[in-house]
Amino acid sequence: MKFKLLTTATLLLLLPNTYADVYNDTIDESADFFDDFYGSEQMVEIATGIKTQIYKAPAVATVFTAEQIKNMGATDIDDVLETVPGLHISRNAIGYNPIYSFRGIYSSNNGQALMMINGTPITNSFTGNRNQVWGGMPVEAIARIEVMRGPGSAIYGADAFAGVINIITKNADDIADNQVAYRAGTFDTHDVWLTLAGHSGNFKYASIFEYHKTDGSDKIITADRQTLNDIAHGTSVSNAPGQVSRYTENYDYRGELNYHDLTIRAGIQKRLRGIGIGLAEALDPSSRQSSTRWNFDISYDKQLTPNFEYQIKASYFDTTQEVEKDYIIYPSGYANSYPDGLIGNPEVFERHKRLNFNALYSGWSTHKIRFGMGYHNADLYKTKETKNFSFGANGENIPPGSPLQDVSDTDYIFLKERARDNTYLFIQDVWNFTNDWELTTGIRYDQYSDFGSTTNPRLALVWSTSLNLSTKLLYGKAFRAPSFSELGNINNPSQLGNPNLNPETIETTELVFDYHPANSMSAIVSFYQYNWDEIIILIPDNDEENILTSQNYGKQSAQGAELELNWKYNDILNISINYAYSDAKNDLTNQKVLYVPAHQWFIQTELNLSESLHLNIRNNIIQDRQRALSDSRKDIDDYLLTDLALRWSPVNIPIELALISKNIFNVDAREPSLNRKEVVYLPNDLPLPGRTLFGEIRYRF
């Protein structure tokens, strides 16, 4: 295919000749070389729980600051995460939820990627992901994003499997000025936010309010699952051709209070959304789903002695997945029997309580010992369901065309209320056994009330090979806890849970070279290999071929490589390039893993055109995704998406303006839809948005 790539050479033609002078790469030998290159912001905590210079961190990590996020024109966290080497964001037909696929590890519910806010997981136990009514996450309240590729269960426990994403929100020190802002653009998109911060003596506060509303997309689905039903039943009721339902209205609040060693944080997220394609991949344009998520945590951090510090943290997280307007699984007239359509409205309500203690002792000259313990209670305290098919509240068959029946609190609901308790212990040692060598070892033990215990070790050897080169050898094991739906789904005509499931496991080995020949250039190369076992998949029941049951059945292995290059040509031009190669294989079929890209490229050019004018151009290339052998469709098309952000920040005026465009060449990019053996419900895959344009204004006060 032809890629309309905005190259660095083209951009250089736009610059005055004086900007093309060679940058003087002299290094101050009296300064620490790595400190000079990375700067104070390039510290990372996600690798060990201890703030570490990123070149020494015993992991493959990427850090984004608030300034970087703003300059790239990101409006949602997905805009940032897609730039991480080896991380691709695909889409689920239900809700168009993002699937964060690290290094070829793909599943529709995406429970293998752990997301945390300020170190606290936001996993929903129902399906093991971030929420079925996710609705995105805005970026104005974010101070930093730290991403670790590879396993992290030795530190973070369950679901720190393929990768870990930690979102660190802004406190008063991160907010230099109060701000109010407005952004508007394509698809009737409107964003408003207000940032407030201040302090009085040792008391500090920060509050960020964000509002987002959009119609989402105008892309058309030409045929869907109901199209096939129409052929089978001689009807004509499909909503295809029709638009993907990506309406979204979000309210977000993040607040933080600090007083001496005490920190209190609170957050609220409210979501109202369309259903994407639909629950059964039949277009559902009218349904609306909602979620209310709120979190609260309080932590006490104390430096007890110069060599001993500890943290006590308690957190509470309440999360819902609700139906605001009926889920129309199949449309009105389905099978000539359902005048209102086939309707099913499952709802779940969860609360999570955590209490954690961790401490760091650095009194020995060559060792830093971090240890801790904790408790987590996950309580699916309420499930609700109304429907007009299958079994009613008393176990009777619901005749076609019947009104909705409420089966909540009966034996015929889709999932019973349930809970689990998790207690854990961990210890980690960072041993600097010579000037140039550092060994990190760690182990964590988790005990679960519903599926037993699991132990996960890690080992990392970091060698400061030379002034300009660090070499890392990493090993880790991780697990994913079975979700409540995988354990307990009932009364589902096609998918059943299994209470005897074990957690999924993965073992990963990595070799990393972190090279900086000059303080304006860097190159990081990483090689990895992993084995993923006990994969929970749906397989036919022994007695009923058309009923699928969750089983620990799958196996996958992979090897791959990731390359990152950063070059600050001068104070005007900065270029970042990364490339990821993944060779992931299904060990049961000996075939390549479906739907994940074998090749990913990301090319970013940043230009400081003047003291107040900044231009960012990003190119994201996705190549070589596989379909199943039973899928008769043509190969999945590669694509290149180009985004642009132009920002004007005058020095002496409290106003900032920006023009942001995504997919500026209006490329018809698509993520793969699934197939069921030879049957394909969405033959033309899942379209991504076309060209979008946004204008933005910020006012500081």
Side-chain angles (χ1 to χ4, degrees), residues 170-234:
K170 292 177 180 176
N171 59 30
D173 294 333
D174 299 313
I175 300 172
D177 300 292
N178 295 332
Q179 184 181 104
V180 62
Y182 174 68
R183 180 192 301 126
T186 313
F187 310 131
D188 197 24
T189 300
H190 300 273
D191 296 285
V192 181
W193 63 92
L194 173 66
T195 303
L196 300 171
H199 63 87
S200 175
N202 293 314
F203 176 81
K204 301 177 182 179
Y205 70 89
S207 290
I208 301 99
F209 304 85
E210 299 175 86
Y211 172 77
H212 169 70
K213 181 178 178 294
T214 184
D215 289 340
S217 179
D218 59 359
K219 291 296 183 178
I220 299 297
I221 298 297
T222 56
D224 65 353
R225 187 171 186 174
Q226 183 56 40
T227 303
L228 298 179
N229 290 336
D230 284 344
I231 295 171
H233 296 288

Side-chain angles (χ1 to χ4, degrees), residues 100-377:
Y100 301 142
S101 176
F102 283 90
R103 294 174 166 177
I105 294 177
Y106 175 102
S107 69
S108 58
N109 282 334
N110 198 210
Q112 295 80 10
L114 176 65
M115 181 174 284
M116 304 184 295
I117 298 178
N118 298 311
T120 300
I122 57 170
T123 305
N124 287 225
S125 295
F126 170 46
T127 49
N129 57 19
R130 294 158 296 281
N131 195 292
Q132 293 294 84
V133 192
W134 172 239
M137 184 169 183
V139 298
E140 295 305 322
I142 297 174
R144 291 163 62 82
I145 302 172
E146 296 184 355
V147 182
M148 181 174 72
R149 286 162 271 159
S153 285
I155 313 168
Y156 301 110
D159 313 325
F161 194 88
V164 182
I165 303 159
N166 188 29
I167 300 162
I168 301 158
T169 57
K170 292 177 180 176
N171 59 30
D173 294 333
D174 299 313
I175 300 172
D177 300 292
N178 295 332
Q179 184 181 104
V180 62
Y182 174 68
R183 180 192 301 126
T186 313
F187 310 131
D188 197 24
T189 300
H190 300 273
D191 296 285
V192 181
W193 63 92
L194 173 66
T195 303
L196 300 171
H199 63 87
S200 175
N202 293 314
F203 176 81
K204 301 177 182 179
Y205 70 89
S207 290
I208 301 99
F209 304 85
E210 299 175 86
Y211 172 77
H212 169 70
K213 181 178 178 294
T214 184
D215 289 340
S217 179
D218 59 359
K219 291 296 183 178
I220 299 297
I221 298 297
T222 56
D224 65 353
R225 187 171 186 174
Q226 183 56 40
T227 303
L228 298 179
N229 290 336
D230 284 344
I231 295 171
H233 296 288
T235 56
S236 181
V237 299
S238 172
N239 289 306
Q243 289 187 13
V244 181
S245 179
R246 298 194 66 180
Y247 172 86
T248 301
E249 187 171 14
N250 295 345
Y251 296 85
D252 288 79
Y253 168 77
R254 299 287 172 190
E256 180 168 329
L257 300 176
N258 309 96
Y259 182 73
H260 291 290
D261 300 318
L262 190 68
T263 298
I264 300 173
R265 299 187 183 97
I268 300 173
Q269 293 180 294
K270 292 184 69 67
R271 300 288 184 264
L272 177 64
R273 307 194 62 221
I275 190 63
I277 303 297
L279 290 185
E281 297 185 27
L283 276 178
D284 180 4
S286 63
S287 295
R288 289 290 182 265
Q289 54 185 344
S290 69
S291 173
T292 300
R293 309 190 285 268
W294 65 277
N295 64 279
F296 175 85
D297 65 76
I298 181 169
S299 59
Y300 181 74
D301 298 77
K302 184 66 175 178
Q303 185 80 42
L304 197 62
T305 72
N307 298 318
F308 184 77
E309 59 186 86
Y310 67 89
Q311 181 194 71
I312 300 173
K313 183 177 182 179
S315 65
Y316 180 85
F317 178 47
D318 193 286
T319 175
T320 72
Q321 300 177 31
E322 302 173 68
V323 180
E324 291 295 319
K325 191 174 180 181
D326 289 340
Y327 288 154
I328 310 298
I329 301 173
Y330 295 112
S332 173
Y334 165 68
N336 287 308
S337 301
Y338 290 87
D340 297 322
L342 193 73
I343 301 173
N345 298 320
E347 299 180 293
V348 296
F349 302 78
E350 299 182 33
R351 58 171 69 102
H352 296 257
K353 292 168 283 189
R354 299 175 188 267
L355 180 63
N356 307 308
F357 168 82
N358 67 80
L360 175 65
Y361 178 71
S362 54
W364 295 322
S365 59
T366 58
H367 289 269
K368 290 182 179 179
I369 307 294
R370 185 171 181 262
F371 58 93
M373 63 186 72
Y375 168 76
H376 171 214
N377 170 257

Side-chain angles (χ1 to χ4, degrees), residues 619-634:
N619 295 278
N620 187 44
I621 304 170
I622 301 300
Q623 296 177 308
D624 196 9
R625 294 166 292 173
Q626 299 293 313
R627 295 200 195 274
L629 294 177
S630 58
D631 193 328
S632 61
R633 290 176 292 177
K634 68 173 186 176

Side-chain angles (χ1 to χ4, degrees), residues 384-672:
K384 297 170 61 178
E385 184 181 16
T386 58
K387 58 185 178 179
N388 66 354
F389 64 96
S390 188
F391 298 109
N394 298 315
E396 76 285 3
N397 283 311
I398 302 175
S402 298
L404 287 177
Q405 294 200 24
D406 189 344
V407 296
S408 306
D409 298 318
T410 74
D411 290 335
Y412 300 97
I413 195 169
F414 70 101
L415 178 67
K416 292 292 187 68
E417 297 162 7
R418 60 187 300 146
R420 70 161 46 130
D421 294 315
N422 165 222
T423 55
Y424 70 86
L425 298 165
F426 78 90
I427 187 168
Q428 174 184 266
D429 176 33
V430 180
W431 179 23
N432 188 203
F433 58 90
T434 71
N435 287 337
D436 300 328
W437 291 85
E438 189 172 87
L439 178 66
T440 300
T441 56
I443 191 167
R444 173 165 160 156
Y445 172 80
D446 285 82
Q447 176 67 45
Y448 282 83
S449 59
D450 53 355
F451 63 81
S453 63
T454 176
T455 302
N456 294 273
R458 71 177 304 202
L459 183 70
L461 184 63
V462 179
W463 175 29
S464 298
T465 316
S466 69
L467 177 67
N468 301 339
L469 177 66
S470 292
T471 304
K472 307 177 186 182
L473 182 62
L474 314 173
Y475 165 81
K477 184 181 176 184
F479 74 102
R480 181 182 80 82
S483 70
F484 286 173
S485 61
E486 290 168 331
L487 290 166
N489 263 354
I490 55 177
N491 298 315
N492 186 316
S494 61
Q495 299 179 8
L496 296 177
N498 178 359
N500 299 314
L501 290 175
N502 296 317
E504 297 180 353
T505 62
I506 192 170
E507 288 189 81
T508 303
T509 305
E510 302 172 78
L511 178 63
V512 185
F513 300 97
D514 193 329
Y515 179 58
H516 295 78
N519 65 338
S520 61
M521 300 184 70
S522 70
I524 303 171
V525 183
S526 56
F527 303 92
Y528 65 84
Q529 185 276 333
Y530 66 73
N531 290 294
W532 178 14
D533 292 317
E534 300 273 25
I535 303 174
I536 299 172
I537 59 176
L538 291 164
I539 62 174
D541 187 271
N542 290 331
D543 300 321
E544 297 286 344
E545 282 292 321
N546 62 335
I547 297 178
L548 304 177
T549 304
S550 296
Q551 300 283 0
N552 292 109
Y553 188 75
K555 294 180 180 292
Q556 180 174 316
S557 60
Q559 49 276 324
E562 295 152 354
L563 170 66
E564 302 173 63
L565 299 171
N566 294 282
W567 179 34
K568 184 177 180 181
Y569 179 72
N570 55 23
D571 290 338
I572 306 303
L573 176 64
N574 187 56
I575 300 167
S576 302
I577 300 172
N578 67 57
Y579 166 73
Y581 168 73
S582 176
D583 181 15
K585 182 180 69 172
N586 183 326
D587 291 337
L588 298 180
T589 64
N590 206 33
Q591 300 294 322
K592 286 189 175 183
V593 171
L594 308 181
Y595 315 128
V596 299
H599 306 277
Q600 293 174 253
W601 295 85
F602 172 73
I603 304 167
Q604 177 175 268
T605 303
E606 295 182 272
L607 290 163
N608 294 312
L609 300 175
S610 70
E611 186 179 4
S612 58
L613 194 61
H614 182 92
L615 176 66
N616 181 291
I617 299 173
R618 301 185 298 157
N619 295 278
N620 187 44
I621 304 170
I622 301 300
Q623 296 177 308
D624 196 9
R625 294 166 292 173
Q626 299 293 313
R627 295 200 195 274
L629 294 177
S630 58
D631 193 328
S632 61
R633 290 176 292 177
K634 68 173 186 176
D635 293 342
I636 304 167
D637 286 339
D638 302 336
Y639 65 75
L640 179 148
L641 299 180
T642 301
D643 301 338
L644 178 148
L646 181 65
R647 188 169 296 278
W648 181 56
S649 307
V651 177
N652 298 318
I653 303 175
I655 291 178
E656 188 172 317
L657 302 176
L659 178 65
I660 300 168
S661 178
K662 300 178 183 180
N663 191 6
I664 63 175
F665 296 118
N666 202 29
V667 173
D668 183 16
R670 294 173 183 259
E671 288 299 322

